[in-house]
Amino acid sequence: MRTLILGKERMERTLARLACELDEHNRGTGDLVLFGIVPQGILVARALARYISEIAGRKVDPIPLDLGETSREAVEVSGKQVVVVDDVLYTGRTAHRGVDAVCKMGEPARVQLMVLIDRGHREMPLQPDYVGRRIQTKHRERIQVDAGEGLSVYLEE
């Protein structure tokens, strides 16, 4: 069974809210570096970047963060406000690896975690700074982010 959780309209409101929260908490986006964990986190980061760009008045391009690659392109993060974006936070292992990969690139002023969906069941001591929506799920359920016409989120049993 597949249930729609976030359709196009709710997704747009959620992304706009997250962009505003990010701008407020960082007192602007001048020194912001936005990473999206591949594969789904970069889709969320790209959608979010459109809203951040509107607020910032400048183009914000998210950087794909592929955790499967052993050699990554070096990105200057030292002294920057870094945001790591993922689609779904479940056990916390992927997000932890993403934050760790960013920290190996330099010494950011601050590393923040943003997730579209937080479904609980954490196995790592990790909490997101920004959450689109919290949804308590059963272990057997899955959250699927669909990149079809815009982004949408489904709960699958």
Side-chain angles (χ1 to χ4, degrees):
M1 185 167 137
R2 191 173 192 203
T3 307
L4 180 66
I5 295 172
L6 287 176
K8 182 179 180 187
E9 192 174 303
R10 289 186 76 185
M11 180 65 75
E12 288 175 4
R13 282 189 306 227
T14 299
L15 291 170
R17 176 181 53 81
L18 289 170
C20 287
E21 286 180 23
L22 184 75
D23 183 60
E24 277 183 30
H25 290 151
N26 290 286
R27 295 186 179 103
T29 58
D31 60 348
L32 180 75
V33 179
L34 187 65
F35 286 94
I37 297 177
V38 173
Q40 298 296 90
I42 189 62
L43 300 176
V44 176
R46 286 180 182 138
L48 179 69
R50 289 193 308 270
Y51 293 93
I52 295 170
S53 295
E54 285 179 25
I55 292 169
R58 67 175 179 84
K59 188 165 173 46
V60 174
D61 289 318
I63 301 163
L65 185 60
D66 190 340
L67 301 178
E69 290 183 5
T70 52
S71 61
R72 291 182 190 86
E73 180 183 325
V75 176
E76 183 55 50
V77 297
S78 294
K80 305 282 186 178
Q81 303 294 326
V82 173
V83 179
V84 177
V85 179
D86 203 5
D87 61 337
V88 178
L89 182 59
Y90 180 43
T91 63
R93 293 181 187 281
T94 301
H96 183 269
R97 288 177 44 223
V99 169
D100 187 53
V102 165
C103 289
K104 288 179 180 174
M105 294 178 192
E107 294 187 19
R110 183 174 176 195
V111 178
Q112 302 160 81
L113 176 62
M114 178 181 287
V115 296
L116 185 58
I117 305 292
D118 180 358
R119 60 177 285 200
H121 306 288
R122 210 82 69 245
E123 295 175 5
M124 302 293 288
L126 184 68
Q127 291 299 319
D129 299 283
Y130 310 96
V131 177
R133 186 153 178 211
R134 284 183 169 76
I135 300 171
Q136 282 301 118
T137 61
K138 298 173 185 149
H139 286 284
R140 63 180 160 77
E141 294 174 320
R142 292 191 59 222
I143 299 287
Q144 183 66 40
V145 176
D146 189 343
E149 296 176 23
L151 289 178
S152 40
V153 178
Y154 294 90
L155 175 67
E156 297 177 346
E157 290 190 58

